[in-house]
Amino acid sequence: MRISELSERSGIAVATIKYYLREGLLPPGERTGPNQARYGDEHLRRLRLIRALIEVGGLPVATVGDVLEAVDTPDLPMFNLLGVVQGSLTAPAPSASDAEWERAHETVRAEMDRRSWSMTPAAPAIEALTAVLVRAAQLGYPDWGESALPAYFDGARIVAETDVATALAAGERDAIVDVVVVHTVLGDTALAAIRRIAQAQVSLETLAMGTEPST
Amino acid sequence: MRISELSERSGIAVATIKYYLREGLLPPGERTGPNQARYGDEHLRRLRLIRALIEVGGLPVATVGDVLEAVDTPDLPMFNLLGVVQGSLTAPAPSASDAEWERAHETVRAEMDRRSWSMTPAAPAIEALTAVLVRAAQLGYPDWGESALPAYFDGARIVAETDVATALAAGERDAIVDVVVVHTVLGDTALAAIRRIAQAQVSLETLAMGTEPST
């Protein structure tokens, strides 16, 4: 297809596609004339992925380049690929004393150890979680992490199993990364909303009825 | 205590406290002179709540006023109070056709009905969830909601039970709202991070080992 059709089918402006070509985010098409090239379905798929990373993931263009490089590395094991994508979507840590940080990190490590989960593939997310625990302590809730983590890990595991199954069902490498990015960002928002819905339901059961929440 | 001590204990600048007094977010202290007033623990608690709503919840001052009005309404049932606080933290919906919106809303309603959950106390969060499903459909994943919601609801329920138990354990009304606000925002970030940790673990089990994830 010509660049105009690529633009129409991807929903991305021609000028933007040309920018992505210049930046190397999109591989060149097959040259068919001095100012013409032909593009295939792989270009459409790549554009859709770029759009997901930038529009939904909010990634800067440079980071998009890193992620795409990982996508293009055939030897990179799949879970490392998912890790690269996920790592690029996790926020940096706030400032805190070493002692505060160590205490929070120990709480997270203890929960991971209790379940025999591997620390390495999830390093950026572990850092983000530790940052939240530090922030909670700074706001006056130093024990919140220890009391909340068991249930949070149980609930998140159930969600993650459906996430990974959905991502793997997509089958083809680009589509898997696409699904992971879209689902990570959309999934966060959905999970936050559903958590509020569930809190309202549990509150209703506990407070309005005067009984313990049903499990 | 004098306003200088109130400032020191709450971590909020005197000028900011005076602003909150002018805006009616903070009730006046007991007048002890032409330019002096005395404040009590209830003022400290109220300042802490305001700080949580603004700093952690990111609420604009006008919304903080609405939430505090609900806090000050003694007849308002607790779960409505939690609902007001939660509603103020949920994002608005994107633009979509009526058909797109109705389809997404039906998916959410079906899941709620399947569990006999009440739609009313969670109306803002249901709207937010519906918006995510609309967005997913627009990005090319029209069936994602239907396939993901069962696990998301199961996982969120487990998390919500610990959230509500923690909030109720705080005991006193201001503290409960404080806990709900802080935990809603921090909890979202924590849950998102833990979901990534769990995805990495499930991916590791599924892909690196070549076996089904253990439940």
Side-chain angles (χ1 to χ4, degrees):
Chain A
M1 73 193 97
R2 302 261 288 275
I3 198 169
S4 51
E5 186 184 344
L6 185 60
S7 169
E8 195 177 309
R9 290 176 66 183
S10 66
I12 297 174
V14 169
T16 309
I17 295 176
K18 288 184 174 179
Y19 167 66
Y20 292 154
L21 285 162
R22 282 198 306 275
E23 293 295 308
L25 296 186
L26 189 67
E30 184 195 330
R31 192 140 277 239
T32 54
N35 266 340
Q36 271 189 35
R38 181 156 270 151
Y39 300 92
D41 280 351
E42 69 277 14
H43 290 92
L44 188 56
R45 254 200 317 275
R46 173 60 55 108
L47 274 179
R48 208 162 155 249
L49 175 58
I50 294 170
R51 184 181 168 206
L53 286 167
I54 293 179
E55 265 190 46
V56 182
L59 297 184
V61 171
T63 308
V64 171
D66 293 339
V67 174
L68 292 177
E69 200 180 302
V71 171
D72 292 336
T73 309
D75 294 337
L76 198 65
M78 182 61 69
F79 69 86
N80 272 352
L81 176 58
L82 293 174
V84 167
V85 175
Q86 290 164 355
S88 62
L89 293 174
T90 308
S95 57
S97 74
D98 288 345
E100 285 177 301
W101 191 264
E102 185 49 42
R103 184 176 181 276
H105 192 72
E106 188 45 48
T107 304
V108 176
R109 189 173 22 221
E111 188 62 39
M112 300 280 289
D113 282 352
R114 202 172 3 258
R115 296 161 190 269
S116 303
W117 284 18
S118 172
M119 299 278 287
T120 321
I126 287 172
E127 179 136 329
L129 175 60
T130 308
V132 174
L133 264 53
V134 166
R135 189 86 178 96
Q138 288 171 337
L139 285 168
Y141 299 98
D143 302 319
W144 174 69
E146 202 165 348
S147 65
L149 288 193
Y152 274 58
F153 269 71
D154 286 345
R157 169 92 199 197
I158 291 170
V159 169
E161 278 168 6
T162 209
D163 289 338
V164 174
T166 304
L168 292 178
E172 182 265 327
R173 200 174 176 86
D174 251 30
I176 289 179
V177 176
D178 190 8
V179 159
V180 166
V181 168
V182 170
H183 289 186
T184 301
V185 179
L186 289 181
D188 281 350
T189 310
L191 190 54
I194 297 169
R195 177 169 161 252
R196 300 203 203 320
I197 294 169
Q199 286 169 344
Q201 179 63 23
V202 173
S203 298
L204 183 66
E205 292 173 12
T206 311
L207 299 162
M209 309 281 189
T211 55
E212 289 303 299
S214 52
T215 21
Chain B
M1 71 195 95
R2 300 261 288 276
I3 198 171
S4 50
E5 186 182 345
L6 184 60
S7 168
E8 197 177 306
R9 292 176 63 182
S10 67
I12 296 174
V14 169
T16 308
I17 294 176
K18 289 184 175 178
Y19 167 66
Y20 293 155
L21 285 163
R22 282 197 307 275
E23 293 295 309
L25 297 186
L26 189 67
E30 183 196 330
R31 188 138 283 235
T32 55
N35 266 340
Q36 271 189 33
R38 182 155 270 154
Y39 300 92
D41 282 349
E42 68 277 16
H43 291 93
L44 189 56
R45 256 199 317 273
R46 175 58 56 107
L47 275 178
R48 208 161 155 249
L49 175 57
I50 295 171
R51 185 182 167 206
L53 287 167
I54 293 179
E55 266 189 46
V56 181
L59 297 184
V61 172
T63 309
V64 172
D66 293 339
V67 174
L68 291 177
E69 199 180 303
V71 171
D72 292 337
T73 309
D75 294 337
L76 199 66
M78 182 64 67
F79 68 86
N80 274 351
L81 176 59
L82 293 175
V84 168
V85 175
Q86 290 164 355
S88 62
L89 293 173
T90 307
S95 57
S97 74
D98 288 346
E100 284 176 302
W101 190 262
E102 185 49 43
R103 184 177 182 275
H105 192 71
E106 188 46 47
T107 304
V108 176
R109 189 171 24 218
E111 188 62 37
M112 299 281 286
D113 283 352
R114 197 166 16 252
R115 294 162 191 269
S116 302
W117 283 18
S118 171
M119 301 277 287
T120 321
I126 288 171
E127 177 135 330
L129 175 59
T130 307
V132 174
L133 263 52
V134 166
R135 189 86 178 97
Q138 290 172 335
L139 284 169
Y141 299 97
D143 302 318
W144 173 68
E146 202 166 348
S147 65
L149 288 193
Y152 273 58
F153 269 70
D154 285 345
R157 168 93 198 197
I158 291 170
V159 168
E161 280 170 6
T162 210
D163 289 338
V164 174
T166 304
L168 293 177
E172 181 266 329
R173 201 174 175 88
D174 253 28
I176 288 178
V177 177
D178 190 5
V179 159
V180 165
V181 168
V182 170
H183 288 184
T184 303
V185 178
L186 289 181
D188 281 349
T189 310
L191 190 53
I194 297 169
R195 176 170 162 254
R196 299 204 203 319
I197 293 169
Q199 286 170 344
Q201 178 64 23
V202 173
S203 297
L204 182 66
E205 292 172 12
T206 312
L207 299 161
M209 310 282 188
T211 53
E212 288 304 298
S214 52
T215 20

